[in-house]
Amino acid sequence: MGTVHARSLDPLPMRGPELGVQPDDIEAPDIEHEPKQEVLENKNVVVQQVHIEGLGRTKEDLLTYEIAEVFRAKNLIDVMRKSHEARQKLLRLGIFRKVEVVIDTSRGEDALPNGLDVTFEVTELRRMTGSYNTMVGNNEGSMVLGVKLPNALGRAEKMTFQFSYGTKETSYGLSFFKPQPGNFERSIALNMYKVTGQFPWSSLRETDRGISGELSFPVWKTNQTLKWEGVWRELGCLARTASFAVREESGHSLKSSLSHSMVIDTRNSSILPKKGGLLKIHQELAGYTGGDASFLKEDFEIQLNKTLFWDSVLSASLWGGLLLPIGDKPTSIADRFYLGGPTSIRGFSMYSMGPQSEGDYLGGEGYWAGGLHLYTPLPFRPGRGGFGDLFRTHFFLNAGNLCNLNYGEGPQAHLKKLAECIRWSYGLGIVLRLGNIARLELNYCIPMGVQSGDRICDGVQFGAGIRFL
Amino acid sequence: AGLHRVFDLFTSTAAEPWPESATLYQPLKEDQILLSDCASSLAVQAYLRMCGLPVQVVCKANAEYMSPSGKIPFIHVGNQVVSELGPIVQFTKAKGNSLSDSLEDVQRAEMKAYMELVNNMLLTAELYIQWCDDATAAEISRPRYSSPYSWPLSKILAYQKQWEVRRKMNAVGWGGKTLEQVYEDVSQCCQALSQRLGTQPYFFNKQPTELDALVFGHLFTILTTRLTSTELAERIKSYSNLLSFCRRIEQTYFEDKSS
């Protein structure tokens, strides 16, 4: 009983018969033509047809899975809700620019009195999109050209090509992504790339040419990824003044590795989350599928967030990793862990912690790092509701250690070694959130526990990045 | 007083004693090193022994990439890294060790000319035979060069090196030569060296110089390296004074260990 106004669950243009009360006794004499109105009570309906209009190259069979649920709706509210969910599913395929939903009563010969037709009007993305950016980084400028083919073969396959031409180095990459029709969370991705990097903290230059294939799938609440990667790595000295230890690592090597990672992410956002937690465990085994490098690498990342009084958030994070060489060959500088800098232990220079030789940092085979943050809105909340919401002040405490482990000794000795000479720092600063991916920080840091050989950056430190401790 | 200190600094750096830990790096001896690199390395070793400077020879698979110039051999002395015979001679000279100080200017110019001859003829011939002769490249050079690496990197690096050397041969005009012509060039070079040496013990009278070290390095290596054919070694053997020259240097400077 009663009548229902068709309210959208989100601002969608939904056209259909006017639903409203039509008092019988009101009659406007000068209205010539009254649209026929029907009163649809909250009664059972049957969804008879679900169309998708506006398809060009997208194959229909891919979409039937996404819209199948709509058929199961039993009443009007359900139809609206399920249509909304189907719309979200269609959008997340990444192949449509716009999706609109139209719910109408059934027409035609087979039409039932309570039948509904649902139509999804979609606009496909262009076949190929290009982008051009210029980037300025550490002593280098580069031009980045990107070409993307969303929905390359009609089933939400995505192909991207990126080319970066810099004053110093050139990189390019080609990748192909295919989700399983009907199960978007399961996907395979193939990549081919050549990436060059310069690492002034180690006086090292690295060129990686590689191919990789990965398989992602959800298992219960986790997201699992299996990957095989083959990389031809070329290491060289960045300057004539590089230390001999780095010079000894110059040359070519081939790494062929299998890796597995598991991610559970219950945070509400990946940048400045307010609640939830993250657990990421990653392991990599190299050497059993060919190649020169032979090792087992484990690393993990844990983050927990909790909102406290007055809109402030307490965040705790812990990172750790271990690199075990298999066989006689020592580990390569390209596989070891690095620590320090505005994105990990603040107050220290970028990756300038731990084992070093003549000022070049060589990385370590074992590390741990922890951080405790208290994020609060800016004092006095300027620009509230708008720009000011992107900023936060934070108070932080970071600690960690990076060292080489002698695998002849037992785990007790390793733990003891990682617990000696702990570096730590504390301070406060301002964080700016950039979209949903990156953040900028400006901190005042006080490093402590500095060991000889570490390079510190006490006082004001600026950091930009995606992954912060 | 300021000038005095600067002078002190200059002389102290130059006269820093040759450390015991001086090391010479070359590719792996058994499986990897090729004729041309072995010859260059032996030349440097002979030179250092002639100067009386001890050096330890260390074999590393990535020696070529460790070298600042990309060429073998290189030495690590104190915290300095110097590669190739020419720069190494300069380096030892700055430390007060030189074999050619007693030469007159005319003789020194002649010595440099003969060293150029050896580099342009003998070394280039070695590179040609290694990489431009298909039989040698396939049977010896490529397998040896790629031995420390796993497939497919081994293939990539070997072909990359071959392509690079062939391009260089074309650039110096040796691309069109045949193997016979290369052997002829080697013969002519040996004839010039043989004539200059004559019956003397060393090229410049009784004292060896860097030219002796260079010639020894190349000739001795060619004589003692197994290639697909013995033609190259035969050409050298026809000059008996060069043979006795090599034997003499081997006995004088390398008798404590077999090379």
Side-chain angles (χ1 to χ4, degrees):
Chain A
M1 79 140 277
T3 51
V4 167
H5 289 271
R7 252 177 326 174
S8 336
L9 291 169
D10 71 23
L12 286 177
M14 286 178 71
R15 283 172 253 129
E18 280 284 295
L19 302 169
V21 176
Q22 178 66 31
D24 291 332
D25 46 0
I26 294 178
E27 196 156 0
D30 30 59
I31 294 174
E32 302 171 49
H33 188 58
E34 266 177 356
K36 185 168 169 210
Q37 296 202 323
E38 291 166 36
V39 173
L40 275 176
E41 299 179 345
N42 194 7
K43 62 176 186 193
N44 285 351
V45 296
V46 172
V47 177
Q48 290 198 275
Q49 280 191 59
V50 182
H51 309 272
I52 305 190
E53 273 171 31
L55 291 182
R57 62 182 189 278
T58 314
K59 303 275 185 292
E60 281 227 37
D61 56 13
L62 170 75
L63 306 173
T64 42
Y65 296 103
E66 313 296 339
I67 58 177
E69 273 295 302
V70 181
F71 280 105
R72 302 218 189 93
K74 288 288 171 257
N75 57 51
L76 189 62
I77 299 284
D78 220 8
V79 170
M80 280 160 38
R81 189 185 314 124
K82 291 214 155 63
S83 312
H84 171 74
E85 284 168 7
R87 176 180 176 272
Q88 296 290 81
K89 281 196 197 171
L90 287 173
L91 281 173
R92 75 135 155 64
L93 289 175
I95 57 183
F96 299 125
R97 187 184 310 141
K98 218 166 38 153
V99 177
E100 293 179 2
V101 187
V102 176
I103 304 182
D104 201 352
T105 51
S106 296
R107 307 276 152 92
E109 293 173 0
D110 304 332
L112 294 174
N114 61 346
L116 289 183
D117 274 351
V118 180
T119 310
F120 291 93
E121 288 174 5
V122 301
T123 320
E124 285 179 343
L125 287 172
R126 274 206 303 258
R127 193 172 276 273
M128 184 162 88
T129 52
S131 68
Y132 170 82
N133 305 318
T134 40
M135 287 199 322
V136 177
N138 278 337
N139 306 325
E140 180 180 2
S142 57
M143 179 184 95
V144 182
L145 223 60
V147 171
K148 188 158 87 161
L149 279 83
N151 204 10
L153 302 169
R155 289 198 175 80
E157 298 91 354
K158 191 158 70 166
M159 191 119 135
T160 44
F161 176 70
Q162 199 175 54
F163 179 76
S164 160
Y165 180 76
T167 49
K168 295 205 183 130
E169 314 282 2
T170 304
S171 313
Y172 39 85
L174 180 70
S175 76
F176 175 76
F177 168 82
K178 179 174 166 62
Q180 186 184 34
N183 210 339
F184 189 72
E185 272 76 35
R186 287 206 204 152
S187 59
I188 59 172
L190 300 169
N191 295 303
M192 212 162 76
Y193 56 88
K194 178 206 164 200
V195 167
T196 346
Q198 295 196 345
F199 309 119
W201 47 83
S202 305
S203 295
L204 187 74
R205 162 202 278 127
E206 180 175 346
T207 303
D208 284 353
R209 296 170 180 86
I211 47 175
S212 72
E214 64 185 81
L215 196 68
S216 300
F217 50 92
V219 169
W220 190 41
K221 292 203 178 89
T222 70
N223 209 337
Q224 313 269 342
T225 307
L226 288 172
K227 176 168 158 180
W228 173 82
E229 186 176 25
V231 191
W232 164 19
R233 300 176 308 190
E234 189 182 338
L235 296 170
C237 298
L238 200 54
R240 275 218 66 151
T241 50
S243 67
F244 200 73
V246 169
R247 193 172 280 282
E248 279 184 314
E249 302 255 13
S250 310
H252 298 262
S253 67
L254 186 66
K255 179 182 88 160
S256 164
S257 69
L258 291 168
S259 64
H260 165 255
S261 78
M262 177 184 89
V263 177
I264 305 177
D265 193 349
T266 59
R267 303 173 301 177
N268 65 321
S269 157
S270 46
I271 303 288
L272 296 179
K274 288 208 160 68
K275 60 178 165 96
L278 168 73
L279 173 65
K280 205 191 257 191
I281 300 183
H282 173 253
Q283 46 251 356
E284 186 177 359
L285 179 66
Y288 283 89
T289 45
D292 304 313
S294 188
F295 59 80
L296 173 64
K297 192 177 195 182
E298 294 274 350
D299 61 277
F300 71 89
E301 187 179 328
I302 301 175
Q303 191 188 85
L304 295 167
N305 304 285
K306 187 169 168 56
T307 310
L308 302 175
F309 49 87
W310 292 339
D311 236 359
S312 58
V313 178
L314 185 69
S315 175
S317 50
L318 182 66
W319 294 355
L322 199 65
L323 177 66
L324 280 116
I326 300 176
D328 305 321
K329 267 206 218 160
T331 55
S332 165
I333 198 173
D335 296 318
R336 294 195 278 261
F337 298 105
Y338 295 83
L339 199 59
T343 55
S344 50
I345 314 249
R346 297 165 179 81
F348 289 80
S349 290
M350 192 77 187
Y351 293 149
S352 301
M353 235 170 79
Q356 54 98 17
S357 164
E358 297 169 43
D360 292 334
Y361 293 89
L362 308 172
E365 291 163 357
Y367 85 104
W368 68 270
L372 197 63
H373 296 255
L374 180 66
Y375 296 98
T376 62
L378 292 176
F380 310 118
R381 303 198 179 219
R384 187 184 197 157
F387 192 60
D389 277 347
L390 296 172
F391 288 87
R392 285 274 183 283
T393 45
H394 77 135
F395 304 87
F396 62 86
L397 175 68
N398 290 145
N401 200 1
L402 175 76
C403 60
N404 283 321
L405 303 174
N406 183 350
Y407 294 100
E409 311 162 356
Q412 294 282 49
H414 298 164
L415 285 174
K416 187 160 164 300
K417 192 142 185 230
L418 283 171
E420 293 172 348
C421 316
I422 295 179
R423 285 92 162 164
W424 58 282
S425 69
Y426 62 95
L428 67 144
I430 301 183
V431 181
L432 168 65
R433 175 203 189 107
L434 284 183
N436 215 10
I437 336 169
R439 79 190 215 195
L440 301 176
E441 285 189 8
L442 190 66
N443 299 315
Y444 185 84
C445 321
I446 299 159
M448 311 280 286
V450 181
Q451 303 298 313
S452 72
D454 296 345
R455 205 175 291 150
I456 59 171
C457 179
D458 63 348
V460 178
Q461 190 179 39
F462 175 74
I466 305 176
R467 184 173 168 256
F468 283 79
L469 178 66
Chain B
L3 198 63
H4 188 62
R5 260 191 60 201
V6 167
F7 183 71
D8 259 1
L9 188 67
F10 177 81
T11 49
S12 69
T13 328
E16 221 171 59
W18 187 267
E20 281 298 312
S21 60
T23 336
L24 180 142
Y25 288 87
Q26 67 172 30
L28 303 174
K29 204 161 179 179
E30 285 302 312
D31 302 312
Q32 187 192 17
I33 199 169
L34 293 175
L35 174 61
S36 52
D37 288 341
C38 196
S40 306
S41 176
L42 189 60
V44 170
Q45 287 178 55
Y47 175 76
L48 291 173
R49 280 171 189 251
M50 287 170 183
C51 291
L53 299 171
V55 81
Q56 224 188 352
V57 176
V58 171
C59 295
K60 282 216 144 195
N62 60 336
E64 184 182 347
Y65 305 108
M66 279 170 70
S67 165
S69 69
K71 296 224 167 48
I72 300 299
F74 69 92
I75 56 173
H76 182 212
V77 177
N79 61 355
Q80 301 224 293
V81 179
V82 190
S83 64
E84 294 180 81
L85 183 64
I88 290 174
V89 169
Q90 295 294 94
F91 179 73
T92 54
K93 198 175 278 188
K95 285 205 175 293
N97 298 75
S98 175
L99 296 179
S100 53
D101 271 349
S102 54
L103 295 182
E104 295 161 13
D105 285 344
V106 172
Q107 288 179 311
R108 197 170 295 132
E110 200 187 344
M111 179 188 76
K112 285 203 164 63
Y114 274 98
M115 285 178 79
E116 274 300 301
L117 176 71
V118 172
N119 279 329
N120 289 343
M121 282 289 170
L122 279 185
L123 181 60
T124 316
E126 285 162 5
L127 285 172
Y128 181 94
I129 292 167
Q130 274 168 195
W131 294 106
C132 298
D133 173 39
D134 290 321
T136 315
E139 276 176 44
I140 300 178
S141 312
R142 286 201 303 264
R144 282 184 74 90
Y145 187 78
S146 60
S147 58
Y149 304 102
S150 45
W151 187 89
L153 186 60
S154 53
K155 286 276 184 308
I156 296 173
L157 291 178
Y159 279 100
Q160 202 177 51
K161 178 75 178 178
Q162 180 175 301
W163 189 61
E164 189 187 307
V165 173
R166 287 192 183 183
R167 224 169 29 144
K168 186 176 162 212
M169 291 292 118
N170 286 335
V172 297
W174 282 54
K177 291 200 183 188
T178 64
L179 207 53
E180 263 309 304
Q181 285 173 324
V182 170
Y183 288 144
E184 262 312 302
D185 287 340
V186 169
S187 276
Q188 280 179 9
C189 177
C190 289
Q191 189 175 37
L193 289 171
S194 180
Q195 273 180 348
R196 180 64 185 81
L197 184 64
T199 51
Q200 294 170 307
Y202 300 110
F203 279 92
F204 290 96
N205 243 340
K206 302 209 176 41
Q207 289 300 101
T209 58
E210 46 264 37
L211 174 60
D212 299 275
L214 184 63
V215 171
F216 168 75
H218 283 273
L219 294 185
F220 190 83
T221 311
I222 293 173
L223 289 169
T224 53
T225 303
R226 193 187 63 79
L227 290 174
T228 50
S229 94
T230 53
E231 180 71 27
L232 197 60
E234 294 301 319
R235 298 277 179 139
I236 298 176
K237 281 183 191 164
S238 58
Y239 298 95
S240 56
N241 63 344
L242 292 180
L243 280 184
S244 50
F245 167 78
C246 289
R247 212 168 289 130
R248 188 180 315 121
I249 293 191
E250 189 201 355
Q251 280 170 352
T252 318
Y253 294 103
F254 287 90
E255 65 190 357
D256 45 10
K257 61 183 196 182
S258 53
S259 45

